[in-house]
Amino acid sequence: MSERFCYRCGISESEGGPLIDGLCQVCFRKENPVLLIEREINTELCQNCGSYRKRGVWVDPASYDLEELIFEVAENALLEALEDSFSEKIVEYEVVSPEELDEIDELPVGRAAVAFEPADFHLEHFPAIVTYGVRVKARIHELQRELHDETRYVTVYVRQTVCPRCSKFLGGYFEAILQVRAEGRPLTEEERKAIGKLVEEKVDEIMRRDRMGFIQDTIEKEEGMDFYMGSTSSARKLAQAIKERFGGTISEAYELVGVDRQTSREVHRASVSIRIPKFQRGDLVTDRRGNVYTVENVDGKGMTLTNLVTRETERRDWKTVKREGIEAVEGERKEAMVTSITPTEVQLMDMETYETYELEKPRMELREGEVYRMVEVGGRKYFLGRKE
């Protein structure tokens, strides 16, 4: 059988290895490169928040250290460019470390392994420049004796821009108003501080999943607080978080604010309202049976009450509060000194009028000579507790 020769360089098959498509091993690799990546890549990061596009979606960075941020953005751009930068004969590739790539001598047909590392960089000003050495090993034909082993230098330019979220934020954009109110009364200063802290904590959590979940503005009003939110879904999540902490009811309303120029659709702005219960710690309340209680605690699930007759602590969820008709009542609060105690009665002296009166001995420990806080509701006097 006559000797065959490479049609490109003329080397014989016995010297240049099995011919592949008429080419020796070396010429086959040269004529069929596997790494087709462009030598320059342009990418952007937001100059305000550090976010960048990842697969077409703006994402927050893992680090806000400027140098680490630039390398993160540049590496992401390189990885995305690699996805469309291999020969059509490569059906699968894997990114490995340079050390791992050095150890690879065999690969299945259609498989590639790629590694990269910075070869040079300039980060002093924008656009920041990072040049990577990209090396790939691959096999594209079963007759190959040696793997493709190619290296290309790719320069990534990282430029500054303003992401859509920051553009809207800087332009004063908001999509919804979260209104926090209390039923039948203004919010207390303590409630305002607690709600403000809760909202601050939750917004950080929400923005990890909803980049438009920012607070554009916070307005303190006499009756409550308004939070101007970048998205309606974030306003709903905050309202739910407040409800879980304080209880209450949530409602929504919508206002027509214009028409989208691109889609010609009506644009509505949402008002998400959360009304926390009117009850507060220390309130006096009564139910339909005439029992009188003090409110010990209020939370998202209900109230903890102390029965002023039995002195027992009782728990009511919000459905039970409504079903039992529990309402706040006014009481005249005074102080009185215990002057004498019998097995069934206790004598007290009013600390303002010095008048004395007798009450049925309550189910609590009393001491003669001590002053107690009292309250009168519906003509009946109750012990609240010892004066501190």
Side-chain angles (χ1 to χ4, degrees):
M1 186 175 182
S2 61
E3 183 86 67
R4 295 193 300 169
F5 299 89
C6 173
Y7 71 77
R8 186 174 183 274
C9 70
I11 193 171
S12 67
E13 187 170 23
S14 59
E15 292 181 80
L19 298 185
I20 306 173
D21 298 332
L23 295 168
C24 67
Q25 295 285 313
V26 173
C27 290
F28 176 76
R29 294 195 297 271
K30 287 182 179 179
E31 289 290 314
N32 296 275
V34 294
L35 184 60
L36 309 178
I37 193 169
E38 297 289 338
R39 296 191 181 276
E40 292 185 356
I41 301 171
N42 289 285
T43 188
E44 297 175 326
L45 66 82
C46 178
Q47 64 190 27
N48 294 300
C49 69
S51 63
Y52 60 95
R53 269 193 295 259
K54 188 172 186 178
R55 301 186 186 280
V57 178
W58 286 89
V59 298
D60 293 319
S63 171
Y64 289 93
D65 175 81
L66 183 58
E67 184 172 315
E68 293 178 5
L69 171 59
I70 291 172
F71 278 111
E72 179 183 341
V73 175
E75 183 173 315
N76 174 75
L78 178 62
L79 286 169
E80 289 192 359
L82 279 171
E83 293 179 1
D84 300 315
S85 299
F86 289 99
S87 162
E88 62 183 14
K89 296 178 181 179
I90 298 298
V91 296
E92 187 178 1
Y93 74 93
E94 179 184 10
V95 178
V96 299
S97 69
E99 294 74 21
E100 290 174 315
L101 191 63
D102 286 337
E103 301 297 321
I104 294 176
D105 296 318
E106 288 293 334
L107 285 169
V109 175
R111 182 79 178 270
V114 62
F116 58 85
E117 57 186 342
D120 191 18
F121 52 86
H122 301 280
L123 313 180
E124 300 81 15
H125 53 77
F126 285 92
I129 302 172
V130 183
T131 299
Y132 289 94
V134 183
R135 183 185 177 195
V136 63
K137 288 185 177 181
R139 181 185 296 278
I140 61 174
H141 200 284
E142 59 185 6
L143 293 181
Q144 275 187 255
R145 286 184 173 177
E146 294 182 15
L147 300 176
H148 280 70
D149 191 342
E150 302 171 11
T151 299
R152 179 171 289 204
Y153 288 92
V154 180
T155 300
V156 181
Y157 294 90
V158 181
R159 307 179 189 278
Q160 288 185 311
T161 188
V162 178
C163 71
R165 174 183 66 181
C166 288
S167 178
K168 287 185 175 182
F169 179 80
L170 294 172
Y173 174 86
F174 65 95
E175 187 177 283
I177 303 174
L178 172 62
Q179 298 176 321
V180 186
R181 305 287 188 266
E183 184 184 346
R185 62 175 177 83
L187 292 176
T188 65
E189 191 62 32
E190 183 180 354
E191 288 169 335
R192 290 173 188 268
K193 290 180 180 179
I195 290 169
K197 183 179 180 182
L198 175 63
V199 166
E200 184 179 336
E201 293 171 354
K202 287 295 180 181
V203 163
D204 289 340
E205 181 182 318
I206 289 169
M207 286 188 65
R208 296 190 189 104
R209 296 184 295 273
D210 179 4
R211 284 177 45 78
M212 293 299 292
F214 58 79
I215 298 177
Q216 176 62 244
D217 197 6
T218 302
I219 297 180
E220 295 271 359
K221 295 188 173 182
E222 183 178 348
E223 64 273 19
M225 307 170 74
D226 286 353
F227 298 92
Y228 288 72
M229 306 298 302
S231 73
T232 302
S233 63
S234 63
R236 289 172 179 149
K237 289 174 183 176
L238 285 179
Q240 186 61 37
I242 294 170
K243 180 180 178 180
E244 290 174 1
R245 176 76 64 85
F246 297 92
T249 57
I250 298 174
S251 61
E252 291 188 20
Y254 297 88
E255 176 188 3
L256 178 63
V257 294
V259 177
D260 189 294
R261 294 180 180 178
Q262 294 181 339
T263 64
S264 297
R265 293 182 177 178
E266 294 182 344
V267 177
H268 294 82
R269 181 164 291 150
S271 293
V272 181
S273 177
I274 168 71
R275 289 189 175 275
I276 67 175
K278 57 188 172 185
F279 305 107
Q280 302 176 69
R281 187 173 183 270
D283 280 353
L284 292 169
V285 297
T286 183
D287 60 20
R288 287 199 180 99
R289 298 186 299 274
N291 297 314
V292 179
Y293 307 87
T294 56
V295 177
E296 301 298 334
N297 184 55
V298 180
D299 58 34
K301 296 181 178 180
M303 297 193 298
T304 302
L305 309 173
T306 296
N307 188 306
L308 293 185
V309 174
T310 66
R311 312 305 301 182
E312 292 180 354
T313 299
E314 303 176 18
R315 182 70 182 172
R316 299 285 191 278
D317 61 35
W318 292 117
K319 288 184 179 179
T320 305
V321 169
K322 185 175 181 180
R323 185 175 64 249
E324 295 187 355
I326 294 177
E327 293 289 346
V329 293
E330 295 294 329
E332 185 178 4
R333 298 174 186 256
K334 291 190 174 185
E335 294 178 358
M337 178 187 291
V338 173
T339 55
S340 68
I341 303 172
T342 71
T344 59
E345 290 187 340
V346 57
Q347 186 181 69
L348 301 106
M349 180 179 69
D350 188 294
M351 298 302 292
E352 287 186 12
T353 64
Y354 301 107
E355 295 180 356
T356 60
Y357 55 91
E358 289 77 31
L359 294 178
E360 181 181 342
K361 185 179 178 183
R363 298 178 189 178
M364 61 183 290
E365 183 180 351
L366 299 175
R367 293 181 182 177
E368 292 183 2
E370 288 190 340
V371 177
Y372 291 83
R373 293 179 292 109
M374 310 294 295
V375 65
E376 183 174 340
V377 179
R380 181 174 178 179
K381 294 183 174 65
Y382 299 90
F383 282 85
L384 292 176
R386 186 167 58 88
K387 181 182 178 181
E388 299 296 334

